[in-house]
Amino acid sequence: MSEPQIISNPAEVQKIARQWKKEGLSIGLVPTMGYLHDGHRSLIHKAAEQNDRVVVSIFVNPIQFGPNEDLDSYPRDLEADTAVCASEGVDIIFHPEPKDMYGEHFLTHVAVDDITTVLCGKTRPIHFRGVTTVVNKLMNISKADRAYFGQKDAQQLVVVKRMVKDLNMDIEIVGCPIVREEDGLAKSSRNKYLSAEERKAAPVLNRALTKAHDLMDAGERNADKIRQTITEELQKEPLADIEYVSVVDAELLKDVEGEVTGPVLVAIAVRIGTTRLIDNFSFGE
Ligand code: AMP
């Protein structure tokens, strides 16, 4: 097990990546905000399988957080993260400070229209612009051939794929399945915020989605019926406060009215106490 290099300077990572490219080595990038769990590990594992070199970025990106969000309290544990990366054979942990990424007079953003103003974009208006900007920077710094993203953040995956397509970026985006706890709760660094009581309530998200998925497996195609089934299941849990329950087409994320006829994303956001959780499934892809 070799120790990954931990580097904070973008130019230093770029220099190593340039050398790797010269040697004809392929590079996989896994962008994360750290506090790594088995969901992240599955992405890193796949990146290591498919590439000669792996760069994991650990960066709590300030420009994707709104003013009343959890930027300051976001959990951090570089030592534990380093152990995860070492056990997966990661070559570089890119761990910049905000000043390394956004020095004085930072003026350039990358923004994707339309599909960033729905679902999570409704309550997090600047979020995806922050994500696409940082992901662009991370891709340019690491010179990656492939970048790995979880289906857990389904809208993020759709937005990043759209950006890469629209801007002819020469990188492959690899989507990876959601990794869950035994009781079905999707693994997330933010699950740490849940009290014991809230943690017991949290599997309601997966329960509601599973019910909808079963219904669709049995042939149900009415989008309102699917939304209603999920909403009713969530409402059985007193601690659950629904932000949205959506059935949208998988590419442009427009609400499906009437019957589901093509690939859809069924996505929800729910507050349990003060913690905002998201979950989803894709159908018909
Ligand atoms: P984050 O550190 O939360 O920004 O997540 C970094 C990457 O890991 C994103 O592409 C997420 O979609 C992915 N990820 C987070 N949780 C999971 C999970 N439970 N299963 C699969 N991928 C995940």
Side-chain angles (χ1 to χ4, degrees), residues 18-252:
R18 198 176 298 127
Q19 183 58 34
W20 285 343
K21 296 269 80 175
K22 241 190 222 168
E23 292 168 21
L25 301 171
S26 63
I27 303 172
L29 167 70
V30 184
T32 83
M33 298 205 297
Y35 210 68
L36 303 181
H37 50 67
D38 284 349
H40 299 111
R41 186 190 281 276
S42 72
L43 272 56
I44 297 169
H45 195 81
K46 192 171 251 180
E49 267 174 10
Q50 298 184 340
N51 300 276
D52 300 313
R53 296 289 181 267
V54 176
V55 177
V56 173
S57 61
I58 296 181
F59 180 53
V60 182
N61 176 33
I63 69 165
Q64 72 187 63
F65 285 77
N68 299 314
E69 294 183 353
D70 56 344
L71 174 62
D72 293 334
S73 56
Y74 198 85
R76 291 161 165 90
D77 188 346
L78 185 61
E79 204 175 316
D81 291 351
T82 303
V84 171
C85 290
S87 71
E88 294 295 339
V90 169
D91 297 280
I92 292 179
I93 296 175
F94 176 46
H95 182 55
E97 293 294 324
K99 67 170 169 35
D100 300 316
M101 293 293 270
Y102 308 111
E104 256 190 306
H105 310 308
F106 185 84
L107 296 175
T108 308
H109 292 86
V110 178
V112 175
D113 296 336
D114 289 3
I115 57 174
T116 54
T117 60
V118 297
L119 305 174
C120 293
K122 269 194 185 156
T123 51
R124 309 190 73 191
I126 63 152
H127 175 69
F128 288 106
R129 184 178 94 139
V131 170
T132 43
T133 300
V134 81
V135 165
N136 243 284
K137 286 172 69 76
L138 294 169
M139 289 170 172
N140 289 333
I141 291 164
S142 67
K143 300 189 177 291
D145 299 279
R146 299 182 189 84
Y148 296 78
F149 293 86
Q151 294 280 358
K152 159 84 187 349
D153 299 273
Q155 186 175 11
Q156 171 173 280
L157 180 55
V158 172
V159 168
V160 169
K161 280 185 177 165
R162 172 56 48 190
M163 169 184 78
V164 165
K165 186 161 189 233
D166 286 357
L167 298 182
N168 305 89
M169 296 169 69
D170 195 10
I171 186 164
E172 182 188 344
I173 302 303
V174 183
C176 303
I178 301 177
V179 175
R180 298 180 179 280
E181 304 286 355
E182 271 186 21
D183 61 9
L185 175 63
K187 293 206 181 222
S188 165
S189 308
R190 289 190 167 100
N191 292 348
K192 178 186 160 64
Y193 299 146
L194 299 167
S195 70
E197 193 193 359
E198 289 164 351
R199 175 63 189 80
K200 267 193 206 149
V204 72
L205 279 83
N206 181 240
R207 217 161 42 239
L209 288 174
T210 303
K211 207 161 178 188
H213 198 287
D214 289 348
L215 211 60
M216 293 182 81
D217 280 341
E220 180 62 60
R221 288 294 177 275
N222 183 284
D224 281 334
K225 177 75 186 154
I226 296 160
R227 286 186 272 259
Q228 184 195 343
T229 300
I230 295 170
T231 304
E232 282 173 8
E233 192 63 29
L234 290 172
Q235 283 171 341
K236 288 183 194 164
E237 172 49 63
L239 293 181
D241 184 8
I242 299 173
E243 185 179 304
Y244 66 76
V245 171
S246 294
V247 179
V248 296
D249 80 84
E251 198 181 349
L252 293 176

Side-chain angles (χ1 to χ4, degrees), residues 236-277:
K236 288 183 194 164
E237 172 49 63
L239 293 181
D241 184 8
I242 299 173
E243 185 179 304
Y244 66 76
V245 171
S246 294
V247 179
V248 296
D249 80 84
E251 198 181 349
L252 293 176
L253 309 183
K254 288 204 187 320
D255 278 322
V256 176
E257 312 287 352
E259 298 289 297
V260 170
T261 53
V264 288
L265 171 67
V266 179
I268 62 179
V270 177
R271 275 183 194 280
I272 305 278
T274 55
T275 305
R276 184 177 179 279
L277 301 178

